[in-house]
Amino acid sequence: MLQRLIALAAVAFFVAACETASQTATDSAGESSSSTASSSASTSSSSGSSGSSSSSSSGTASSSSGAVDSVEDKLAAVGNTVYFGYDSAVLDGNSQATLYRQAAFLKGNPSLTVTIEGHCDERGTREYNLALGERRAAAARDYLLAQGVNPARIRVISYGKERPVAAGSNETSWSKNRRAATVLN
């Protein structure tokens, strides 16, 4: 019975993830700022937990996990998330500065590939927010491309309002959720 529940939960998560992820290879719009730190933190924690379980059996696995964490930490230090105004995919000066630093970081690390995730606040329909999230991610990608980053190294995806970083129905929460986050692949 427990195995059936676990299998059912796994299928539900898989379907939900497939349903909300919309990858594009041709559109460009978006910004990144500093809320991708939470995405990086979750990636780091999953890497760290696999590294810690591996560290008991071999020191090499934990050191390679440490290398990944340091690259993620460097991206987070550069700024991995940019924020947008309400119903907008326009990059402001702060967003452009963050993306400029990201471009320099990516040019200095030519083997890295990234995904730019477009996100929205809870207002608006699911379809509208998926389209707006895509425009935001594409705007960030276009800025990176204009700075000379190879387009083959950047993937764009929109999650719309499906993955908020801040819970709540107020301007503070909404402003944190209107973002484009750059994460390492």
Side-chain angles (χ1 to χ4, degrees):
M1 179 68 171
L2 181 60
Q3 291 176 343
R4 287 184 184 171
L5 288 174
I6 292 172
L8 183 59
V11 169
F13 284 120
F14 179 75
V15 170
C18 290
E19 184 177 314
T20 60
S22 158
Q23 177 184 358
T24 65
T26 57
D27 289 343
S28 301
E31 287 183 29
S32 317
S33 196
S34 53
S35 74
T36 304
S38 65
S39 296
S40 295
S42 65
T43 305
S44 297
S45 66
S46 65
S47 296
S49 63
S50 66
S52 62
S53 63
S54 299
S55 65
S56 61
S57 60
S58 91
T60 344
S62 66
S63 66
S64 67
S65 175
V68 171
D69 289 341
S70 68
V71 173
E72 289 172 349
D73 291 343
K74 289 178 184 177
L75 178 59
V78 164
N80 53 7
T81 305
V82 292
Y83 297 94
F84 295 88
Y86 174 70
D87 196 28
S88 175
V90 175
L91 297 169
D92 65 10
N94 289 337
S95 297
Q96 289 178 4
T98 298
L99 290 169
Y100 184 83
R101 291 189 308 271
Q102 281 184 24
F105 174 79
L106 290 171
K107 287 193 261 181
N109 295 281
S111 64
L112 297 179
T113 59
V114 296
T115 298
I116 302 174
E117 302 174 341
H119 300 273
C120 300
D121 61 36
E122 67 185 14
R123 299 170 291 179
T125 65
R126 182 176 183 272
E127 294 77 18
Y128 180 81
N129 283 332
L130 283 171
L132 179 57
E134 187 171 323
R135 288 194 312 270
R136 288 174 174 169
R141 182 187 67 195
D142 286 347
Y143 190 90
L144 293 174
L145 296 178
Q147 299 303 312
V149 178
N150 182 347
R153 298 175 56 203
I154 304 171
R155 188 176 79 126
V156 173
I157 192 165
S158 174
Y159 291 109
K161 61 183 176 181
E162 305 300 322
R163 294 186 177 186
V165 293
S169 295
N170 55 50
E171 186 55 42
T172 302
S173 298
W174 294 330
S175 66
K176 291 178 183 175
N177 292 326
R178 296 188 303 254
R179 68 195 191 282
T182 303
V183 295
L184 296 175
N185 292 337

